[in-house]
Amino acid sequence: MKVVSTEKSQVLASRIAGALGTGIVDVKFSQFPDGELCLAAVAPDDEMVIVGSTPDNDSLVQLLLLIDACEGSKNHLVLPYMGYARQDKKFRDGEPISARAIARLFTHHVADCITVNIHEPDVLKYFGVPTKNISVGKDVGRYIESMDLSDPLILAPDDGALAFAGDVASVGGWDYDYLDKTRLSGSEVKIAPKKLSSASRSVVIVDDIISTGGTIATAAGMLYLQGAKDVYAACVHGVLIGGAYSHLKVSGIREIICSDTIERGCSRISAASCIAAALKH
Ligand code: R5P
């Protein structure tokens, strides 16, 4: 078994190979003069682990080219971050279910697929192959443990992320809660923990994705007004578009942490050992 990856998942793929005790396949992506993506011949093994997050369209095309190049092998697809997964239903008439459209691309030459904290697990039904969605919640918790915060409060930005916050908090037996939004007037909204107080506490807001950072920046502002000592942010997928990292820093977030499902300078947590364990079972 060998591991191969798209350009933007090289580091994670190499860590997965290390955790599996296997090698990686040399791969070279380039572009044709008209801008189309091109992949130099790869030498696949009989069994391959193909790793590729799809935070952008080029990564998606690279992944499809890789899968096609490995057509004769038994291929295990690892999709650490699946782009388009947030359009998981028709929010308005006439819209596509983008997650379904993308998932259906992975039905050929793939034996099974592993995703990591996919935004909506229900979309797994659209893959044409057996799937497994794993969580790095405990790895996020272990990173928070290493920060040595005194009695941190783990907060989900909404009740939908409460189970993830619980998973993170279980590592240290910390308190956890979710942020509840109350509309005070046409223009005023109050965001505060549903049950607990953040006053004088170190708070870590945890979410599956940080995209623009807007959700967490707004919440952090409110938490500081309510007396929080420090606010940190941790997520699985650091999409971080449009200057989100700077926006969060300016909003007073002490540290922004994400995993390497999308490789970033702030990828302090690796999904590699969880992915390798899932591949072994
Ligand atoms: C949405 O449901 C997700 O779980 C995240 O809360 C969302 O993607 C965060 O977006 P942003 O960083 O743009 O506020």
Side-chain angles (χ1 to χ4, degrees):
M1 182 195 276
K2 288 226 168 109
V3 180
V4 70
S5 82
T6 56
E7 222 171 329
K8 291 201 175 162
S9 294
Q10 299 173 65
V11 177
L12 174 58
S14 175
R15 289 173 178 156
I16 294 171
L20 289 172
T22 188
I24 53 171
V25 168
D26 200 5
V27 66
K28 188 169 183 340
F29 293 100
S30 54
Q31 272 191 340
F32 288 110
D34 63 0
E36 287 182 357
L37 303 184
C38 147
L39 168 60
V42 292
D45 214 9
D46 289 346
E47 194 170 0
M48 293 293 294
V49 175
I50 303 177
V51 184
S53 284
T54 55
D56 52 62
N57 295 336
D58 280 1
S59 297
L60 179 60
V61 174
Q62 285 187 349
L63 185 56
L64 293 172
L65 298 182
L66 262 186
I67 294 169
D68 202 74
C70 298
E71 62 167 334
S73 313
K74 180 177 184 191
N75 294 319
H76 307 284
L77 174 64
V78 178
L79 198 52
Y81 171 71
M82 179 185 170
Y84 294 96
R86 280 177 287 175
Q87 177 86 34
D88 56 348
K89 56 171 84 83
K90 288 177 190 279
F91 296 101
R92 290 193 196 92
D93 281 351
E95 284 182 351
I97 301 177
S98 309
R100 176 179 64 187
I102 298 300
R104 283 180 178 167
L105 295 173
F106 302 120
T107 51
H108 299 293
H109 316 309
V110 166
D112 43 50
C113 175
I114 293 174
T115 56
V116 180
N117 293 94
I118 196 164
H119 182 65
E120 176 47 69
D122 203 39
V123 308
L124 296 173
K125 66 179 183 235
Y126 298 129
F127 285 79
V129 296
T131 53
K132 198 185 284 180
N133 182 48
I134 60 171
S135 174
V136 294
K138 299 264 189 305
D139 300 85
V140 174
R142 281 190 280 273
Y143 184 83
I144 294 170
E145 197 167 43
S146 76
M147 291 163 71
D148 231 3
L149 303 174
S150 154
D151 191 26
L153 170 62
I154 311 298
L155 283 181
D158 51 49
D159 58 347
L162 185 63
F164 179 63
D167 194 20
V168 173
S170 68
V171 171
W174 305 304
D175 290 341
Y176 68 100
D177 198 354
Y178 71 92
L179 287 162
D180 194 35
K181 207 184 269 188
T182 318
R183 182 154 290 285
L184 302 176
S185 69
S187 59
E188 248 188 315
V189 171
K190 181 181 173 208
I191 300 173
K194 178 77 177 165
K195 296 189 217 139
L196 304 171
S197 166
S198 58
S200 307
R201 296 189 75 170
S202 291
V203 175
V204 188
I205 307 176
V206 297
D207 205 355
D208 59 340
I209 299 171
I210 299 178
S211 186
T212 63
T215 308
I216 290 183
T218 308
M222 295 270 181
L223 289 166
Y224 278 124
L225 286 176
Q226 292 154 27
K229 187 166 89 173
D230 291 305
V231 182
Y232 300 81
C235 72
V236 180
H237 312 295
V239 176
L240 299 175
I241 55 163
Y245 188 90
S246 311
H247 181 51
L248 288 168
K249 287 300 281 184
V250 170
S251 310
I253 304 287
R254 299 280 180 256
E255 188 178 346
I256 300 132
I257 305 131
C258 65
S259 84
D260 55 3
T261 57
I262 300 177
E263 295 172 6
R264 301 281 184 207
C266 57
S267 295
R268 308 252 179 265
I269 298 154
S270 182
S273 58
C274 267
I275 292 171
L279 284 163
K280 284 180 190 160
H281 294 114

